[in-house]
Amino acid sequence: MFTGYTRGSLKNLTGWLCGLAIAQILGINTSAKAADTVVVRFGPFAESISVADLQTAAETGKFPRDLQFFTNSLSEQERRLVLGALRTRVPLNVVTVSRLLNTQIGTTILNDLATALVRKDRAGAQALRAGFVLGSVSPQGLSILSFIKNYPSNRLEINLPRAFAVASNLNSGFWLTQQFMLAIAPQFSPTTSQLSFPFDPSQRGSDQFQVLGLQLNDQKRNRKIPVDVYWSNAATTDKPVIVFSHGFGSVRTDMRYLAEHLASHGYIVAALEHPGSNETSVNLALKNNTKIVQPQEFLDRPKDISFVLDELEKLNQTAKNPLQGKIATNNAMVIGYSFGGGTALAIAGAEMQLENLKQRCKQNVATFSFGETLQCVAQELPNNRYQLGDNRIKRAIALSPTAALIFGQTGLSKLQVPTLVWAASADKTVPALPEQIVGFNQIPSPKWLVGILGGTHLSVKDPSTTMDQQTKPNTPLFGGEVVGEQAADIRKYLQAIALSFAAQLTPEAEKYAVFLTPDYAQFASTQAFPIRLVTEIPPQAMFVVKQFTGK
């Protein structure tokens, strides 16, 4: 027995098993044997958990008496977490699971997870792959239980200390961000704003806008690019055209409320859809069992923006076109979200530097967030350096950008324009510390870093695109999203600073400058979501950054 580890054992073991179920996102080895027992080892001690008992718990919502040794010390919340994990299903078929696990990233993750297994042979990764693939064939689909039942051995043995190490490092960037936020909290204590604000930039403007749908075709790259252009008769070339780049597996209406807000203030907004990484593309890849995203997409996304600017300029010069003479394509601003945030940084001049990425993505990938794992796809690109900046871009807003790996050690220092970076403290998908905070010091001034304490990855998205989040499980890698009405104050602040940031490219720059200050961030804060804005990370905070990251 190892009573001192009872509470932590089940909690961390559950997190590890959740991680196993999730790891499949990243293609078969069969056996007549199947696990009916999970054995947890700690040094010379071992405890056995019957798979039948786990099945009973999942079906009834109650833990059998045989599991009381593990469950008595759990809180009610932890019990619900365990039961939720046991009931979670992964909606992927066997062919898709097999293909994804046979990718370079999938194999690396399996090898990392296999270090927590106790086996006499060295076939841990193959056994894990078999459990995932065969589990996905079961009538109920792939789940923790179907994985265990199809694990090719009569028992699944776990090395508890090693499992602790794997579990504690699941999405390590997110947990490091939480520790970092706690450590720097005293340095960013609330203050009373000393400024008065002449108006509310989060309020809808008076211009009546409409949406023009375009279906653009880049024949040179064989890319068909849908674009929604939000515009009004009040639009003039005194204001920049704003291009929006969406996140991975998403759509051009990702930030529709923000596009409408900007258009109501006389701006033209072009929200494009990247055909190699939008919702349609990802769904089609899953259906056809092909790669979810191609490495070339990291290069094509910035090129999509340049192509859209080219096409908008043609419309700007086309007689009798409603947009004629209204589009300032040489004075453009880009707003990108998540994968699109990385795209925004690239089109604004940041250099893709892949040397370190190609080394880093060969090991410990199981500890990565989804954003870091996505960036690892770029390791298959042939060159190590790519510069895709477009000098028509004069300002950039990167909302929760994927930036930890793709820009290397100095790529962000190549940015050519004023840049605002948005970071949400509770973002599991693209954790703030490694993805936004660490690299911020590289960015040349003028620059702004906005921190939303308590905000999550999807908080900025249009509520129409996040209605499914209430049914999502809360795991170490995803879930727990603050969206919809809960995140209304976050979106309100984004409307204010996006408008004010764009206004810096207009004759109204001075009028809006006051909203790009720490005072306004403090003013816009709520008890649920304190907001902080800095133009440089204070030395004391950078000391904490280096402590946590070793950089």
Side-chain angles (χ1 to χ4, degrees), residues 356-519:
N356 290 340
L357 177 148
K358 291 179 179 181
Q359 293 300 315
R360 182 69 184 87
C361 292
K362 292 178 181 178
Q363 56 188 350
N364 297 325
V365 180
T367 69
F368 280 5
S369 65
F370 178 81
E372 291 167 313
T373 303
L374 176 63
Q375 291 168 76
C376 281
V377 173
Q379 68 184 304
E380 299 177 42
L381 289 170
N383 299 328
N384 286 333
R385 302 266 172 144
Y386 294 92
Q387 177 54 258
L388 300 167
D390 189 319
N391 60 18
R392 292 173 292 185
I393 300 295
K394 304 302 189 216
R395 286 198 162 225
I397 295 179
L399 304 171
S400 300
T402 48
L405 302 175
I406 197 74
F407 299 112
Q409 297 297 315
T410 62
L412 292 173
S413 68
K414 312 292 185 182
L415 278 163
Q416 301 294 314
V417 301
T419 301
L420 186 148
V421 176
W422 175 286
S425 73
D427 189 333
K428 295 178 183 177
T429 307
V430 187
L433 181 60
E435 297 282 9
Q436 294 102 45
I437 296 171
V438 170
F440 184 72
N441 260 21
Q442 287 185 37
I443 300 175
S445 294
K447 59 184 177 179
W448 296 258
L449 175 64
V450 171
I452 308 296
L453 306 184
T456 62
H457 190 65
L458 302 182
S459 295
V460 299
K461 288 190 69 173
D462 194 278
S464 65
T465 66
T466 58
M467 292 187 291
D468 63 338
Q469 286 304 306
Q470 289 185 344
T471 61
K472 299 289 186 184
N474 192 355
T475 76
L477 294 181
F478 61 82
E481 291 286 347
V482 177
V483 296
E485 189 59 33
Q486 280 185 302
D489 289 328
I490 295 175
R491 295 192 301 275
K492 180 179 178 181
Y493 177 69
L494 177 56
Q495 290 177 167
I497 61 164
L499 177 64
S500 302
F501 202 68
Q504 300 311 297
L505 293 172
T506 75
E508 296 182 301
E510 186 175 350
K511 173 182 171 183
Y512 281 89
V514 68
F515 301 108
L516 296 171
T517 62
D519 289 273

Side-chain angles (χ1 to χ4, degrees), residues 176-240:
L176 284 173
T177 299
Q178 306 319 299
Q179 296 176 53
F180 170 76
M181 291 299 177
L182 288 173
I184 68 168
Q187 301 175 28
F188 292 97
S189 54
T191 59
T192 302
S193 174
Q194 301 300 313
L195 297 179
S196 59
F197 302 100
F199 58 94
D200 184 356
S202 71
Q203 292 300 305
R204 180 71 62 97
S206 59
D207 296 329
Q208 298 298 312
F209 62 86
Q210 51 192 304
V211 182
L212 174 65
L214 302 175
Q215 295 293 329
L216 304 181
N217 185 12
D218 187 342
Q219 296 180 347
K220 291 181 179 178
R221 296 182 301 132
N222 192 28
R223 303 265 291 186
K224 294 182 179 179
I225 304 173
V227 183
D228 288 342
V229 181
Y230 299 74
W231 69 283
S232 71
N233 288 324
T236 71
T237 53
D238 284 342
K239 294 183 175 180

Side-chain angles (χ1 to χ4, degrees), residues 260-283:
E260 292 176 349
H261 179 69
L262 294 167
S264 75
H265 286 272
Y267 291 86
I268 292 179
V269 182
L272 71 146
E273 208 154 297
H274 299 284
S277 51
N278 61 355
E279 183 179 63
T280 301
S281 171
V282 172
N283 288 343

Side-chain angles (χ1 to χ4, degrees), residues 141-198:
L142 182 58
S143 67
I144 290 174
L145 286 171
S146 69
F147 162 77
I148 296 173
K149 291 177 181 179
N150 288 280
Y151 181 76
S153 177
N154 57 7
R155 59 186 188 178
L156 172 63
E157 292 194 43
I158 299 170
N159 179 325
L160 190 60
R162 180 57 192 158
F164 281 167
V166 174
S168 63
N169 284 321
L170 279 175
N171 201 359
S172 58
F174 171 74
W175 300 113
L176 284 173
T177 299
Q178 306 319 299
Q179 296 176 53
F180 170 76
M181 291 299 177
L182 288 173
I184 68 168
Q187 301 175 28
F188 292 97
S189 54
T191 59
T192 302
S193 174
Q194 301 300 313
L195 297 179
S196 59
F197 302 100

Side-chain angles (χ1 to χ4, degrees), residues 95-118:
V95 179
T96 301
V97 171
S98 178
R99 290 180 66 95
L100 293 177
L101 289 177
N102 277 321
T103 64
Q104 183 175 356
I105 294 172
T107 299
T108 302
I109 287 178
L110 290 174
N111 288 332
D112 291 341
L113 295 175
T115 63
L117 301 182
V118 178

